[in-house]
Amino acid sequence: MDSQNRSIRHPSPAHLLAGILLMLLSVLARADVIDNIELDDSVTPPVIQVNFTLPLRYINHTPTDAGDELHIQLERLPVGGVLDSSPDRSLQPITFEASRRIPLRDASYEQRDAGRGVLTLRFRRTVRFRVQAGADRRHLVVSIVPTPADRRFSAPRAAPTRPGSAAARPLPDSGSYVINLESNARPVPAPELAFLSNRERYLVYQTRFPIDGRIWYRTRLGFFRTRQAALRLLAQLKDRYPRAWVTVASRDEIHAALTGATAKAPATATARPRPKAPRHRVPDIQPSLPRVSNEKIEALMEQARKAVAEEHYGRAIQLYTKVLRYPDHPYRQQALEYLAVTREKKGQFAHAIREYERYLSLYPEGEAAARVRQRLAGLTTAARAPLPATGRRRRAGRAKPWDVYGGISQFYRRDQSTLDNNDELVTQSSLSTDLDITARRRGDDLDVQTRFTGSYLHDFLNDGPGDESSVSSLYLDATHKRYGLSLRLGRQSHNTDGVLGRFDGLLLAYRLTDWLTLKALGGYPVLSTRDSLHTNRTLYGVSMDLGTFANTLDFNAFFVEQQVDGILDRRAVGGEARYFDPVRSLLGFVDYDLSYDSLNTLIVLGTWTLPDRTTLNATLDYRNSPILTTTNALQGQTVTTIDKLLDSFTEDEVRALAEDRTAESTTVTLGATHPLSQRLQVSGDITLSRLGDTKASGGVAAQPGTDNDFFYNFQLIGSSLIKAGDIAILGLRYADTSTSKTTSLSLNTRYPFTRDWRINPRLRVDYRKNSTDDSTQWIGAPSLRMDYRWRRRYRFEAEGGGEWSSRELTTDSQHTSSWFFSLGYRADF
């Protein structure tokens, strides 16, 4: 038998140069799972929002609450759509715009198997964090929590007093640890806690915090010097407050808790020099509006916060100024600081300086005053800085028009297999060059963003698939802040509003009220990122988003229609209903095709966090597989377009073929995650899956479905077991399917030699018993990845591994092996 080796051609330097130039004109060949990452440091605590291109179910994260590297396990939930292709390379680097308050260093998503992947966030230093899945399952939020070790958030040196007590006694347990008693959608009266014998030693207060774009209220008890002291009191409160937990309060939160009750700064234990006030006292903004309730002021402050987050700075300035014109409320100090910060963000530097000076005239002490003084110094220093040469003077006075950021990477990969007869087969030898560029311009009224994401893959094999390029994202996005209008034009991912994935076209949105947004879209569906613009398939639809109601409920409703080669491809209605609070969430989604009179998709997904921080989740997924469209009729046919299929069948017959090619699929999943300690947690789930039969018709044979297939997953996850920052995941999986029974044991570890150099050893061992031929099979798959970060912007990666298989048949045995390696770099800009 002749050798099956594939020969490799070695390109000339000119050929390589041409390939690189072609890459610069092409875009990503992967189907990216993560759309983008947004860093918001205008809120406290600052947050990282990760947006997905399709719904993902949050499984768990490690470490549980602190570290310089965060790993979040996610699972695909194809609500309303499917990915158009599998990723060509399992690791997706993610670019983002840098932030001064959020020390995020880099981010990436790695696809581990067909359904699950891991999002990795690496920080420049150890941080505390909270991870919260979004109610719509299309994003998640990571809040960066202050730590006692971070001097910017450290507790006041003085022992605070308990406001409201007759003697205003010092609190012996003064510190930054607090007990979070409960969370509510609305403000609630502070409990008296009269059952505590030492009640006078503590302060009960309420603080506001954002979750998934909504404001919640936390009732807290403080303050404690050590975590152990807080845990001791927590044990006495568990019966009355089963969901209570210990956390760290920022200095600003402690200061606000005290001043909100006494209207005075906390007393100091030792005399300190009084900070210098501005040279000229700036008068306060005098109240000129009638008094209103604190709830009304809170609503205005929340509207202003949202306006800043959406960069509607003019609107935010109006709201903060209005708050300052109301008399007798506890938000004047905060509103004045935020007014100054917002004017600075808008580029109104003279006004910002005046507001900062006004703040220091009124509130010269405290943590916030130090922060204001630092901002004021930065502005006044910049104002006094000498201008550069004449040719640059005019440009120096203008704000930077565009922010441009992104990354470029190149990776070589080689895969080779050794068959049972010792023949070798090279299955891949390629160089992929990826490019991701985002350009954004922010204005007072108009925000414009463009994005270009893609790659060029050069194939070195003579008989390989050949060179490839494709488009993943190429669009223009514009938002008019004053009128609430937005549009996105170009190739984009959209897995809501009835759209089944990517499309080339236009998406329009108009925010009619605070609770109603209307949307319309039209264009051409994209089956593969490798496709160019195809106009034989068209798409249009309308939808509306409603909410949030009662701070917990959101709704979406849509109508969408697709045409293919002049006939109806799909006509569907449906929507989503979402309930979300800090403890429970529920998502329901339905997609019903009117033309086929068929329920395309029904999804119900819920999560529940128990008092001991155990998280339960459940998913019910009933769907047509694939989603029923007329295009399904092409499966198994020799022609590739509906137009050609109509030469042999009538339209009604083609639609009948589409129904015959579509099976029914049902999946039910129950899962749980439980923290054993600060370093260990366990996670597991059980999945039942069943796929129906398809019918024989049009020359295509019937395809049998499956019986009830069961999948069992268990993970033991540890962090900082040997060295701070290390991670180890021990996994056990058992699959009981119609064709085989497979037991898999895996170990995935990550060890940091230094902050910049890390290794990732992995090992997977499978034992499979195939019911089709009574054979048994052992599979072993070790691998090792190393990555090195150089000068913050450059990252080098190398990975190698193999797979060895031994299959025992009744009369024979088969032995195969394969190995791979990849080597590459990424540069961010």
Side-chain angles (χ1 to χ4, degrees):
M1 179 177 178
D2 295 336
S3 174
Q4 299 183 29
N5 283 344
R6 292 180 176 176
S7 59
I8 302 175
R9 67 178 185 269
H10 300 280
S12 66
H15 196 170
L16 285 177
L17 179 60
I20 294 175
L21 291 176
L22 181 58
M23 175 279 303
L24 295 174
L25 299 175
S26 60
V27 196
L28 185 67
R30 312 184 283 280
D32 288 341
V33 174
I34 306 300
D35 187 17
N36 58 39
I37 286 182
E38 299 176 355
L39 277 58
D40 185 0
D41 56 11
S42 65
V43 297
T44 299
V47 298
I48 302 169
Q49 179 164 317
V50 184
N51 299 309
F52 312 143
T53 60
L54 76 163
L56 296 174
R57 180 174 69 90
Y58 162 82
I59 301 175
N60 57 49
H61 71 274
T62 187
T64 56
D65 56 10
D68 63 356
E69 187 164 315
L70 172 61
H71 296 259
I72 304 172
Q73 293 198 60
L74 303 167
E75 183 177 34
R76 300 188 191 189
L77 288 173
V79 178
V82 294
L83 280 181
D84 53 6
S85 63
S86 299
D88 290 333
R89 183 160 57 83
S90 61
L91 188 66
Q92 176 198 348
I94 311 166
T95 59
F96 52 88
E97 192 172 11
S99 165
R100 289 179 296 178
R101 292 183 63 197
I102 303 175
L104 184 61
R105 188 174 190 176
D106 60 63
S108 62
Y109 179 83
E110 182 183 7
Q111 196 66 42
R112 294 286 174 82
D113 54 42
R116 298 194 178 195
V118 176
L119 172 67
T120 300
L121 305 179
R122 294 177 61 182
F123 301 92
R124 292 190 294 273
R125 57 180 173 83
T126 298
V127 299
R128 295 183 67 86
F129 42 72
R130 290 192 302 267
V131 179
Q132 179 68 54
D136 60 359
R137 299 305 188 270
R138 293 179 178 89
H139 75 278
L140 62 81
V141 175
V142 179
S143 301
I144 305 301
V145 184
T147 65
D150 190 336
R151 62 182 179 86
R152 295 174 300 173
F153 299 102
S154 59
R157 299 177 184 176
T161 58
R162 187 182 73 84
S165 66
R169 298 175 54 185
L171 302 179
D173 287 329
S174 171
S176 56
Y177 287 99
V178 297
I179 298 175
N180 195 90
L181 297 175
E182 58 183 352
S183 300
N184 297 280
R186 294 180 178 84
V188 297
E192 292 295 331
L193 302 182
F195 61 90
L196 288 179
S197 59
N198 54 353
R199 166 67 181 86
E200 69 280 358
R201 299 175 59 186
Y202 306 107
L203 170 66
V204 179
Y205 65 97
Q206 193 169 84
T207 185
R208 303 162 71 243
F209 67 102
I211 289 185
D212 200 26
R214 310 161 194 195
I215 294 299
W216 295 84
Y217 299 85
R218 281 178 172 156
T219 302
R220 291 185 162 181
L221 175 69
F223 297 97
F224 305 87
R225 291 189 180 276
T226 65
R227 184 179 184 87
Q228 288 70 25
L231 290 173
R232 284 195 295 270
L233 185 60
L234 177 64
Q236 304 179 39
L237 301 172
K238 272 296 186 180
D239 290 341
R240 289 178 169 84
Y241 297 96
R243 302 185 188 282
W245 47 280
V246 173
T247 187
V248 178
S250 70
R251 184 167 184 169
D252 285 347
E253 179 180 321
I254 297 172
H255 182 70
L258 298 173
T259 58
T262 65
K264 297 180 180 179
T268 55
T270 58
R272 291 183 293 172
R274 184 180 180 86
K276 292 182 179 180
R279 289 176 298 174
H280 306 289
R281 180 173 179 83
V282 183
D284 192 7
I285 298 176
Q286 295 301 317
S288 58
L289 296 174
R291 182 175 180 177
V292 296
S293 66
N294 286 344
E295 287 75 13
K296 171 69 173 178
I297 304 297
E298 288 177 357
L300 291 174
M301 292 290 288
E302 172 58 15
Q303 292 177 33
R305 185 199 67 80
K306 289 183 177 180
V308 171
E310 297 171 359
E311 299 177 5
H312 301 172
Y313 298 132
R315 173 64 174 161
I317 290 171
Q318 294 175 357
L319 291 169
Y320 285 133
T321 303
K322 185 175 182 179
V323 169
L324 291 169
R325 293 175 61 197
Y326 284 110
D328 302 330
H329 63 78
Y331 295 96
R332 293 187 61 81
Q333 181 176 352
Q334 188 181 61
L336 183 55
E337 179 187 1
Y338 290 171
L339 173 61
V341 172
T342 306
R343 287 194 180 275
E344 180 182 352
K345 287 178 177 290
K346 192 175 180 181
Q348 299 176 345
F349 301 123
H351 292 81
I353 290 174
R354 180 177 178 83
E355 301 303 342
Y356 284 136
E357 290 181 342
R358 189 194 313 276
Y359 184 97
L360 294 175
S361 294
L362 299 169
Y363 314 103
E365 294 184 345
E367 176 74 12
R371 182 171 60 245
V372 167
R373 195 170 288 106
Q374 184 178 12
R375 284 185 173 272
L376 178 61
L379 281 178
T380 54
T381 301
R384 293 192 300 267
L387 292 175
T390 305
R392 294 179 146 189
R393 190 167 297 152
R394 287 190 298 271
R395 290 195 299 270
R398 294 201 303 257
K400 183 176 165 184
W402 288 93
D403 292 319
V404 180
Y405 56 94
I408 184 172
S409 63
Q410 284 189 307
F411 281 84
Y412 173 79
R413 171 144 182 161
R414 179 184 177 93
D415 291 27
Q416 184 167 319
S417 300
T418 302
L419 305 181
D420 195 43
N421 57 5
N422 293 324
D423 286 339
E424 293 185 348
L425 178 67
V426 178
T427 57
Q428 182 175 355
S429 178
S430 62
L431 176 69
S432 65
T433 308
D434 302 320
L435 181 63
D436 188 351
I437 300 176
T438 299
R440 184 172 186 178
R441 179 169 183 168
R442 298 176 175 87
D444 292 342
D445 292 323
L446 187 63
D447 188 359
V448 180
Q449 177 177 299
T450 62
R451 188 177 182 191
F452 175 87
T453 312
S455 76
Y456 173 75
L457 186 141
H458 177 74
D459 182 18
F460 291 102
L461 299 177
N462 283 332
D463 51 355
D467 300 343
E468 292 179 341
S469 62
S470 62
V471 173
S472 176
S473 298
L474 181 58
Y475 60 77
L476 167 70
D477 192 304
T479 301
H480 197 286
K481 305 169 186 176
R482 182 184 306 173
Y483 298 115
L485 288 169
S486 65
L487 67 85
R488 177 173 288 189
L489 176 64
R491 177 159 294 188
Q492 54 193 286
S493 296
H494 200 67
N495 277 276
T496 185
D497 302 322
V499 181
L500 300 182
R502 282 183 177 83
F503 75 99
D504 295 325
L506 175 66
L507 172 65
L508 292 171
Y510 173 53
R511 187 171 185 178
L512 187 62
T513 68
D514 289 340
W515 54 269
L516 176 60
T517 299
L518 304 177
K519 291 183 284 186
L521 58 90
Y524 309 100
V526 176
L527 295 180
S528 171
T529 57
R530 298 176 179 86
D531 291 343
S532 59
L533 179 66
H534 289 302
T535 59
N536 66 312
R537 300 183 71 198
T538 59
L539 161 74
Y540 69 87
V542 293
S543 64
M544 60 180 176
D545 294 333
L546 301 97
T548 302
F549 302 109
N551 210 28
T552 57
L553 292 169
D554 294 280
F555 302 94
N556 165 269
F558 66 82
F559 168 83
V560 66
E561 181 168 310
Q562 292 179 197
Q563 300 279 334
V564 56
D565 291 333
I567 67 173
L568 185 63
D569 192 32
R570 159 177 162 83
R571 179 182 292 152
V573 295
E576 293 184 19
R578 300 184 293 268
Y579 172 86
F580 177 86
D581 67 32
V583 176
R584 294 168 292 269
S585 67
L586 184 66
L587 166 68
F589 174 85
V590 63
D591 181 310
Y592 186 84
D593 194 291
L594 299 173
S595 65
Y596 282 99
D597 191 21
S598 174
L599 179 62
N600 251 331
T601 308
L602 173 63
I603 297 281
V604 180
L605 186 149
T607 62
W608 186 15
T609 302
L610 302 180
D612 62 356
R613 298 177 66 187
T614 298
T615 300
L616 306 177
N617 60 79
T619 303
L620 169 64
D621 183 333
Y622 171 84
R623 67 177 56 247
N624 286 325
S625 180
I627 298 296
L628 180 54
T629 65
T630 304
T631 307
N632 291 2
L634 293 173
Q635 297 182 38
Q637 300 292 334
T638 57
V639 297
T640 58
T641 66
I642 294 293
D643 189 46
K644 293 181 179 179
L645 194 62
L646 288 170
D647 294 338
S648 304
F649 300 93
T650 66
E651 181 177 338
D652 289 340
E653 290 173 336
V654 169
R655 290 173 60 84
L657 291 177
E659 292 182 287
D660 292 343
R661 300 290 84 77
T662 304
E664 294 179 353
S665 170
T666 304
T667 303
V668 179
T669 299
L670 300 175
T673 299
H674 175 70
L676 299 175
S677 67
Q678 290 295 319
R679 297 184 179 183
L680 289 173
Q681 63 174 302
V682 292
S683 176
D685 60 71
I686 302 173
T687 298
L688 180 150
S689 177
R690 183 182 180 90
L691 181 66
D693 302 331
T694 64
K695 299 178 181 178
S697 62
V700 180
Q703 295 295 321
T706 66
D707 295 329
N708 291 333
D709 291 340
F710 293 90
F711 304 88
Y712 306 86
N713 290 284
F714 173 82
Q715 287 185 333
L716 176 63
I717 306 168
S719 59
S720 299
L721 299 177
I722 301 175
K723 181 180 180 179
D726 69 18
I727 293 174
I729 303 175
L730 179 65
L732 179 63
R733 175 182 172 89
Y734 179 72
D736 184 358
T737 70
S738 304
T739 58
S740 66
K741 293 179 173 59
T742 305
T743 303
S744 298
L745 181 66
S746 63
L747 179 63
N748 186 352
T749 64
R750 186 179 296 265
Y751 186 84
F753 278 114
T754 67
R755 183 173 293 272
D756 297 316
W757 182 29
R758 307 186 181 213
I759 64 170
N760 182 196
R762 305 178 191 176
L763 175 64
R764 191 191 83 247
V765 178
D766 298 343
Y767 176 74
R768 180 181 301 165
K769 187 172 183 180
N770 300 300
S771 56
T772 54
D773 54 9
D774 290 331
S775 64
T776 59
Q777 186 176 8
W778 284 95
I779 300 173
S783 66
L784 176 66
R785 172 186 289 170
M786 296 182 292
D787 67 83
Y788 177 74
R789 170 68 67 173
W790 180 58
R791 293 188 176 180
R792 297 182 61 179
R793 294 181 179 271
Y794 306 98
R795 182 171 177 174
F796 301 91
E797 295 181 15
E799 183 177 9
E803 181 175 297
W804 287 265
S805 170
S806 176
R807 184 174 182 179
E808 298 295 332
L809 302 168
T810 55
T811 59
D812 195 7
S813 62
Q814 296 178 350
H815 303 279
T816 60
S817 62
S818 63
W819 60 270
F820 75 93
F821 79 88
S822 66
L823 181 67
Y825 71 91
R826 177 172 176 83
D828 297 322
F829 53 84

